[in-house]
């Protein structure tokens, strides 16, 4: 395992349904981040974990969104009662303590709400 | 409020010439700056970074310049190659380990 893995790569769901995405970070990275990217925008911060602790949540993360990182390993991002505005690329990244190496991003999960 | 601004949505450069991508920021607390490169259907890839205590950092064909007084940084790619065609994101952090990204600049390298 040499990278950040995200599943699924694509998800099409009907409005009102719940969806869950998974991220497996690089094993020795203790920090894990979720970002969202919409067309024409850069990645927007959603939340991040250090080990299993969720340290910060963006105001973009409404009550319908919840993220977990049990045991400080993989993470899940759940969106309840999806809305068309939730359609975006959801990116996961991980990093070690030293920010100097930047984050390593996964390939993302593209969500389409119809 | 956009704290990291990339005002050029796209840029076209002849192969072999220098590509210069610009970025401005508003938050004076930012002390670490990064550039990421993104190909379609892939996540962003870290390219190069610079600490606020420096004004230049070079890595092969890539050089980042930081002008703190102007709150401006730029990425120079020389010589530009076809594989450099991608979207480039400028990003910044104030050391709370959260990176703020700009909207990106799409670079086209022309043959």
């Amino acid at each position: 395992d040499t990278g950040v893995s995200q599943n699924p790569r694509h998800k099409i769901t009907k409005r009102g349904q719940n969806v869950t995405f998974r991220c497996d970070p690089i094993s020795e990275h203790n920090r894990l981040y979720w970002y969202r990217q919409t067309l024409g925008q850069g990645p927007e911060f959603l939340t991040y974990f250090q080990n299993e602790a969720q340290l910060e949540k963006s105001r973009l993360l409404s009550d319908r969104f919840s993220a977990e990182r049990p045991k400080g390993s993989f993470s899940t991002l759940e969106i309840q009662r999806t809305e068309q505005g939730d359609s975006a690329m959801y990116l996961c990244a991980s990093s070690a303590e030293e920010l100097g190496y930047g984050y390593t991003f996964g390939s993302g999960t593209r969500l389409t709400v119809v | 409020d956009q704290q990291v601004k990339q005002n050029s949505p796209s840029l076209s450069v002849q192969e072999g010439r220098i590509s210069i991508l610009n970025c401005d920021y508003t938050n004076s607390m930012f002390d670490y700056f990064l550039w990421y490169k993104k190909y379609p259907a892939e996540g962003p890839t870290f390219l190069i970074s610079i600490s606020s205590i420096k004004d230049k950092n070079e890595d092969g064909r890539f050089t980042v310049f930081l002008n703190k007084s102007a709150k401006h940084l730029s990425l120079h790619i020389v010589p530009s190659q076809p594989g450099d065609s991608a979207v480039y994101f400028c990003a910044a952090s104030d050391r709370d380990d959260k990176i703020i990204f700009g909207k990106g600049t799409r670079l086209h390298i022309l043959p």
Side-chain angles (χ1 to χ4, degrees), chain B residues 69-81:
Chain B
S69 61
K71 293 191 178 68
H72 178 83
L73 63 155
S74 60
L75 175 68
H76 292 210
I77 306 173
V78 56
S80 299
Q81 298 175 354

Side-chain angles (χ1 to χ4, degrees), chain A residues 59-80:
Chain A
R59 63 178 185 274
L60 293 175
L61 215 66
S62 75
D63 291 344
R64 297 184 297 104
F65 288 70
S66 63
E68 296 182 344
R69 193 183 182 198
K71 302 177 184 177
S73 56
F74 71 91
S75 176
T76 57
L77 178 67
E78 181 183 16
I79 309 174
Q80 296 182 328

Side-chain angles (χ1 to χ4, degrees), chain A residues 8-63:
Chain A
R9 291 293 306 272
H10 303 274
K11 178 70 177 178
I12 300 174
T13 190
K14 289 185 178 179
R15 190 174 52 187
Q17 296 294 306
N18 299 345
V19 294
T20 300
F21 311 139
R22 175 176 171 130
C23 171
D24 288 273
I26 292 173
S27 56
E28 58 267 28
H29 285 181
N30 64 338
R31 292 178 179 164
L32 187 148
Y33 307 82
W34 285 99
Y35 281 77
R36 181 178 72 184
Q37 185 178 11
T38 53
L39 197 62
Q41 301 293 319
E44 296 172 295
F45 171 79
L46 292 178
T47 189
Y48 94 95
F49 294 84
Q50 179 158 321
N51 300 312
E52 67 275 9
Q54 189 173 16
L55 296 186
E56 186 173 348
K57 294 195 293 186
S58 162
R59 63 178 185 274
L60 293 175
L61 215 66
S62 75
D63 291 344

